[in-house]
């Protein structure tokens, strides 16, 4: 069980829930915390947890925070340098990576090189650079423990069994707020409607990704790398109750599932206590209250983002990084009211079509493709969505 951790992205949804879990455990020391811009909350966290380093991505916010906490022993460090410092502190055994976006990639890589175990809640790290990350983790003998509920479920279902006996992994998807909708019904949905997830309370980016089902697409790519699967070994089923968090099918046709209430504190705690389990004081799952569990095949025609994610990982190379970057920008544009909901997938598809895929990419290739895709999406918006040939 780990005792010394850093949390990258401590003011977000997963970060604050990680601190809840830390509060419920004995003897866990938090050495590093970080935020993008939420310095008021980070100040409160600094006063409560007394970390050695607090990293703030935004330079101006870092300056402000420095003044606010100059009566404490916590050192405030700005930008990527700060994230890396928090991720590589000598005392730290495990880094919880709960930042949103590709910004998590480099600090995660540096943490692995500094031989820190990773509790991985940042999807983009494996989506964009899964091959490099898993290779480095093997080289440095560190564990990558998934925090995402689906991957934690699969990880739990794999304990004690032989990887060679796995036939497939089955990722469950809630279907999001627009389950059963047809493409024409989705044209005019607002960010407010898209943000209303039926089961999970999450950050804005991931809520929109759930509404487009890109979230499941990114999870397919993550699962491929985490569990060393061929892409055709990864299935998705829509399971609207979000009680079964995912499953593993074995060659004898047994399927093992992990069930629980939709509460991220369960997978977070498991990542921190793995391979042990400790008692939780949160609500227990009452199966009779749930009454029924249902399963539906995903609708690839309405939720084209899911199909695009399968396509990106089949092509591999820099294509998943391009998918991810185009999605990040498109989601941001949708949240700002600049594009419609269905234009998110259109923009991603256009960007993928224009990308010259690089096979076996270096980290530099991945980061450059990421920048290229962001610029491309912004440019195509300037000229009008749909004006470019598909
Ligand atoms: Mg998930």
């Amino acid at each position: 069980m780990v005792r010394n951790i850093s949390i990258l992205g401590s003011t977000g949804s997963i970060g604050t829930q990680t601190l809840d879990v830390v509060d419920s455990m004995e003897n866990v020391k938090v050495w590093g915390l970080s935020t993008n811009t939420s310095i008021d909350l980070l100040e409160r966290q600094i006063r409560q947890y007394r970390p050695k380093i607090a990293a703030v991505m935004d330079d101006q916010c870092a300056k402000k925070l420095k003044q606010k906490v100059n009566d404490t022993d916590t050192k405030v460090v700005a930008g990527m340098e700060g994230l890396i410092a928090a991720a590589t502190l000598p005392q730290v055994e495990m880094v919880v990576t709960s930042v949103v976006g590709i910004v998590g990639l480099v600090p995660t890589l540096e943490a692995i090189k500094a031989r820190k175990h990773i509790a991985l809640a940042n999807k983009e790290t494996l989506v964009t650079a899964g091959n490099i990350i898993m290779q480095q983790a093997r080289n440095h003998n560190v564990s990558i423990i998934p925090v995402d509920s689906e991957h934690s479920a699969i990880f739990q279902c794999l304990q004690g069994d032989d990887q060679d006996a796995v036939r497939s992994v089955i990722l469950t998807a809630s279907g999001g707020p627009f389950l059963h909708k047809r493409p024409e019904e989705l044209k005019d949905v607002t960010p407010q409607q898209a943000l209303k997830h039926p089961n999970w309370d999450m950050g804005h980016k991931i809520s929109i990704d759930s509404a487009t089902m890109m979230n499941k697409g990114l999870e397919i790519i993550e699962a491929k790398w985490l569990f060393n699967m061929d892409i055709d070994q990864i299935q998705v089923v829509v399971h609207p109750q979000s009680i079964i968090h995912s499953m593993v099918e074995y060659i004898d046709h047994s399927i093992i599932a992990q069930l629980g209430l939709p509460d991220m504190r369960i997978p977070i705690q498991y990542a921190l206590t793995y391979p042990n389990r400790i008692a939780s004081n949160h609500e227990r799952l009452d199966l009779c209250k749930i009454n029924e569990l249902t399963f539906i095949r995903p609708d690839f025609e309405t939720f084209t983002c899911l199909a695009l994610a399968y396509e990106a990982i089949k092509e591999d190379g820099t294509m998943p990084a391009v998918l991810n970057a185009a999605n990040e920008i498109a989601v941001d544009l949708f949240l700002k009211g600049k594009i419609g909901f269905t234009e998110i997938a259109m923009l991603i598809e256009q960007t993928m079509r224009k990308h010259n895929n690089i096979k076996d990419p270096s980290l530099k290739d991945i980061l450059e493709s990421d920048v290229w895709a962001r610029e491309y999406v912004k440019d195509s918006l300037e000229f009008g969505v749909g004006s470019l040939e598909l």
Side-chain angles (χ1 to χ4, degrees), residues 123 148-150 215-216 219:
K123 289 196 165 75
D148 207 345
S149 60
E150 293 79 358
N215 184 49
K216 210 51 51 184
E219 288 178 356

Side-chain angles (χ1 to χ4, degrees), residues 228-257:
N228 192 23
M229 292 280 141
D230 290 334
I231 198 66
D232 51 16
Q233 284 180 290
I234 306 169
Q235 306 177 49
V236 174
V237 293
V238 176
H239 164 51
Q241 295 84 10
S242 296
I243 294 299
I244 295 182
H245 297 304
S246 279
M247 300 170 255
V248 173
E249 181 192 17
Y250 286 92
I251 49 175
D252 61 358
H253 298 184
S254 265
I255 294 179
I256 312 242

Side-chain angles (χ1 to χ4, degrees), residues 123 147-151 171-172 200 202 206 210 215-216 219 222 245-246 264:
K123 289 196 165 75
V147 168
D148 207 345
S149 60
E150 293 79 358
H151 304 84
L171 288 166
T172 53
W200 294 94
M202 306 178 290
I206 189 171
S210 294
N215 184 49
K216 210 51 51 184
E219 288 178 356
E222 261 189 298
H245 297 304
S246 279
M264 283 309 294

Side-chain angles (χ1 to χ4, degrees), residues 5 7 67 117 140 159 169 174 183 189 202 222 225 335:
I5 67 169
I7 306 171
Q67 286 174 349
H117 297 297
H140 293 89
Q159 294 305 311
V169 297
S174 68
V189 299
M202 306 178 290
E222 261 189 298
W225 296 115
L335 283 169

Side-chain angles (χ1 to χ4, degrees), residues 106-178:
V106 170
T108 304
L109 204 48
E110 291 304 314
I112 291 170
K113 288 180 186 164
R115 296 184 189 275
K116 316 299 184 192
H117 297 297
I118 306 294
L120 189 79
N122 171 259
K123 289 196 165 75
E124 293 80 0
T125 298
L126 285 184
V127 168
T128 59
N131 200 13
I132 294 174
I133 291 284
M134 296 312 286
Q135 190 65 52
Q136 289 290 339
R138 280 190 294 275
N139 291 352
H140 293 89
N141 203 20
V142 304
S143 309
I144 311 277
I145 318 259
V147 168
D148 207 345
S149 60
E150 293 79 358
H151 304 84
S152 175
I154 293 168
F155 186 67
Q156 294 182 53
C157 294
L158 287 170
Q159 294 305 311
D161 267 302
D162 180 1
Q163 168 109 25
D164 293 340
V166 174
R167 185 188 169 99
S168 70
V169 297
I170 305 165
L171 288 166
T172 53
S174 68
F178 304 136

